[in-house]
Amino acid sequence: MVSANGVYRISSSSLFRWMSWRHSSSKLFVGGLSYDTNEPVLKDAFGQHGEIIEVKVICDHKSGKSKGYGFVHFVSEDSASKALAEMDDQLLDGRNIRIQYANKKRAPECQGIIYEVMISH
């Protein structure tokens, strides 16, 4: 890493590690949802565990029907951890839901590419 006027040159693998570190584990995957469970229901069920940034129920792009899973993104890791501990395998809309930390999407490998990242102090 070389700094020139606040610009750091880092490799793609270093950037990926930095981005993974910067993102928290405050996003949960929720599986086993009833096909009738919508985003307001999911937000209401998880909102008791902390402030939520976003709730998303994944739907088929053609039919618009739920695929039976979604994501809940909390403001804090503590809230996500509490929700995971208290909500995993609980009933929601007649189904036992499964909860785990959401996997981060991995960026395609871009070896040899250098990214410039502005870091303000």
Side-chain angles (χ1 to χ4, degrees):
M1 244 191 274
V2 178
S3 172
N5 299 329
V7 175
Y8 291 83
R9 297 179 72 86
I10 59 177
S11 69
S12 60
S13 60
S14 295
L15 178 63
F16 179 76
R17 282 193 303 273
W18 178 77
M19 289 177 69
S20 294
W21 171 79
R22 288 265 302 151
H23 289 91
S24 66
S25 54
S26 61
K27 190 172 187 178
L28 300 176
F29 168 84
V30 184
L33 292 175
S34 163
Y35 296 116
D36 296 324
T37 301
N38 56 29
E39 291 169 0
V41 169
L42 201 56
K43 186 172 185 174
D44 186 52
F46 281 81
Q48 63 186 338
H49 300 290
E51 188 176 350
I52 294 174
I53 295 172
E54 179 184 33
V55 172
K56 186 76 177 163
V57 172
I58 305 304
C59 297
D60 180 80
H61 68 280
K62 289 183 181 179
S63 69
K65 292 184 180 184
S66 169
K67 290 187 172 188
Y69 68 94
F71 297 91
V72 179
H73 191 177
F74 286 92
V75 169
S76 75
E77 291 182 33
D78 289 339
S79 296
S81 177
K82 181 180 172 190
L84 178 90
E86 294 181 17
M87 295 289 292
D88 189 37
D89 204 33
Q90 297 300 308
L91 278 176
L92 180 64
D93 280 350
R95 302 273 315 258
N96 286 78
I97 57 175
R98 300 176 322 275
I99 303 170
Q100 60 188 29
Y101 289 108
N103 294 326
K104 295 174 181 63
K105 287 185 179 178
R106 294 192 71 158
E109 286 298 319
C110 300
Q111 295 183 354
I113 296 176
I114 302 294
Y115 296 93
E116 291 188 350
V117 179
M118 294 291 292
I119 299 177
S120 57
H121 298 286

